[in-house]
Amino acid sequence: MMDTLKSAGRAIIRSPSFAKQSWSSKHKKLPENWTDTRETLLEGMLFNLKYLGMTLVEQPKGEEMSAPAVKRIVTTAKASGKKLRKVTLKVSPRGIILYDALSSELIENVSIYRISYCTADKVHDKVFAYIVQSSLNETLECHAFLCTKRKVAQAVTFTVAQAFRIAFE
């Protein structure tokens, strides 16, 4: 299992779609010190997002797995008509920690070794999603979050990939 996750981590980092993400100049550039984020990343980088929901998936990775999952999650969230829960995501080489943005209550602590895939969805481009193995059983869950902008979804994805790189060094 460990090897599968390691290769998944490497696949995220090497994924051509990841490298080709258009960091075009018409959008605000990421901070100049983005490359020096290693120190910051070790402490954990925070992102304020809205939790869209979760659905089960069959495979641990791949756009063909995450895209329909994200579509299901978005459709369900829209249909429910409920306000989305505001969450704070703390990304570090240890994993992703989820807090309720309003109460600061811990929602979940996801070990980096349980995360098999992360993506900024191509269709719903403000959506960041990751696939994780449930801590309770062997099921694979896809969790999706709504970001304020496409840039943020890409930044979260990039940060998780960097966290993988450090964790698997």
Side-chain angles (χ1 to χ4, degrees), residues 89-163:
L89 234 72
K90 183 177 181 181
V91 179
S92 80
R94 286 184 297 284
I96 295 175
I97 304 176
L98 233 65
Y99 297 99
D100 182 288
L102 303 173
S103 69
S104 299
E105 153 202 3
L106 175 71
I107 301 168
E108 194 180 5
N109 189 342
V110 184
S111 162
I112 195 112
Y113 302 108
R114 284 181 25 226
I115 301 167
S116 56
Y117 186 74
C118 72
T119 182
D121 195 70
K122 285 189 175 68
V123 179
H124 305 278
D125 64 3
K126 289 182 185 170
V127 173
F128 159 73
Y130 63 81
I131 296 176
V132 63
Q133 186 176 21
S134 166
S135 54
L136 307 171
N137 50 36
E138 297 294 299
T139 59
L140 294 164
E141 306 168 348
C142 178
H143 292 265
F145 301 84
L146 183 63
C147 306
T148 47
K149 300 195 257 253
R150 188 182 96 198
K151 259 291 187 269
V152 177
Q154 290 175 334
V156 182
T157 307
F158 182 71
T159 306
V160 175
Q162 293 287 82

Side-chain angles (χ1 to χ4, degrees), residues 77-84:
K78 277 184 182 164
S80 83
K82 288 195 198 111
K83 278 188 80 175
L84 299 174

